[in-house]
């Protein structure tokens, strides 16, 4: 079975992460979910009742479980998404710090040349944020800020969330029809 790693960190934007869980499971992937301590706090604020969605994951790990499969390059998977990606996690990933499972699993993706999609949710951005994004990009990560398009005529918040979710899945080469694609004018 194909495997995806999804890490939720302590930035705002949990509806994106929860929709990713739903969509990855619809695609019949084995989902390895990593939750940072800060993500658990933000989930409680932004997504009360999130436990049902989290239960869709095949495996759930805390940031402290450094012995999890995702911490090793011998664990084969199709890619990792960090969504939402806090600026602290981005900085740790960009600078090769492996002090928790989120950072270590991302570092493994970079060293093994596996897809790593970082979805930073912060605004405005300072120079440090931008430099860390560039550093992570130069190491092989895809930086995909959750900036929805409007050409598909969104009618609801759900449409905007699905647009970004679809773009993230696109970046991993996972087919989806979560939003109307641009067909030209």
């Amino acid at each position: 079975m194909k495997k995806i790693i999804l890490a939720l960190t302590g930035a705002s934007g949990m509806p994106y992460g929860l929709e990713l869980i739903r969509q990855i499971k619809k695609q019949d992937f084995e989902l390895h979910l990593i939750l940072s301590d800060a993500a658990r706090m933000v989930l409680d604020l932004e997504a009360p009742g999130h436990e049902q969605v989290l239960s869709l994951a095949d495996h759930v790990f805390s940031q402290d479980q450094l012995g999890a499969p995702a911490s090793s390059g011998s664990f084969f998977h199709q890619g990792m998404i960090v969504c939402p990606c806090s600026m602290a996690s981005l900085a740790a990933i960009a600078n090769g710090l492996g002090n928790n499972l989120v950072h270590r699993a991302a570092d493994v993706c970079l060293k093994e040349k596996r897809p790593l999609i970082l979805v930073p949710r912060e605004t405005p951005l300072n120079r440090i944020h931008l430099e860390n994004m560039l550093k992570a990009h130069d190491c092989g990560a895809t930086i995909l800020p959750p900036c929805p398009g409007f050409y598909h005529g969104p009618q609801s918040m759900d449409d905007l969330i699905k647009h970004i979710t679809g773009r993230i899945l696109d970046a991993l080469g996972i087919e989806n029809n979560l939003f109307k694609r641009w067909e030209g004018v």
Side-chain angles (χ1 to χ4, degrees):
M1 177 179 261
K2 293 182 178 181
K3 300 172 183 137
I4 296 286
I5 301 167
L6 171 62
L8 307 182
T9 66
S12 180
M14 288 304 162
Y16 297 118
L18 296 176
E19 186 61 24
L20 278 164
I21 292 169
R22 290 184 197 97
Q23 295 302 325
I24 289 168
K25 288 312 298 175
K26 282 183 184 177
Q27 296 274 350
D28 203 31
F29 281 87
E30 181 178 294
L31 178 58
H32 291 249
L33 179 63
I34 305 169
L35 297 170
S36 74
D37 293 345
R40 291 182 188 279
M41 289 189 306
V42 178
L43 275 165
D44 288 340
L45 290 170
E46 293 187 354
H50 60 271
E51 295 83 7
Q52 184 178 7
V53 177
L54 297 183
S55 73
L56 296 174
D58 297 285
H59 307 278
V60 180
F61 302 97
S62 73
Q63 70 179 33
D64 299 322
Q65 289 181 273
L66 287 168
S71 67
S72 173
S74 67
F75 175 68
F76 189 77
H77 57 86
Q78 281 56 50
M80 178 176 178
I81 306 161
V82 183
C83 177
C85 183
S86 68
M87 288 299 131
S89 291
L90 174 71
I93 292 165
N95 290 286
L97 304 178
N99 56 351
N100 73 31
L101 183 57
V102 174
H103 310 153
R104 173 64 187 157
D107 185 58
V108 167
C109 284
L110 294 174
K111 81 179 186 71
E112 297 292 332
K113 308 259 187 267
R114 294 196 184 114
L116 173 62
I117 314 299
L118 304 178
V119 185
R121 222 305 304 143
E122 185 63 67
T123 191
L125 299 168
N126 67 36
R127 184 177 185 94
I128 295 167
H129 301 151
L130 295 168
E131 288 175 354
N132 284 332
M133 284 184 212
L134 182 58
K135 192 181 287 190
H137 172 272
D138 288 347
C139 291
T142 297
I143 309 299
L144 200 156
C147 302
F150 293 90
Y151 57 83
H152 62 288
Q155 300 297 306
S156 66
M157 184 73 75
D158 192 54
D159 289 344
L160 295 172
I161 292 166
K162 285 187 175 177
H163 179 254
I164 294 303
T165 302
R167 298 291 294 161
I168 294 166
L169 295 175
D170 284 352
L172 281 177
I174 300 172
E175 288 187 38
N176 68 87
N177 59 356
L178 292 174
F179 61 99
K180 183 181 178 210
R181 295 179 183 278
W182 179 251
E183 296 175 0
V185 289

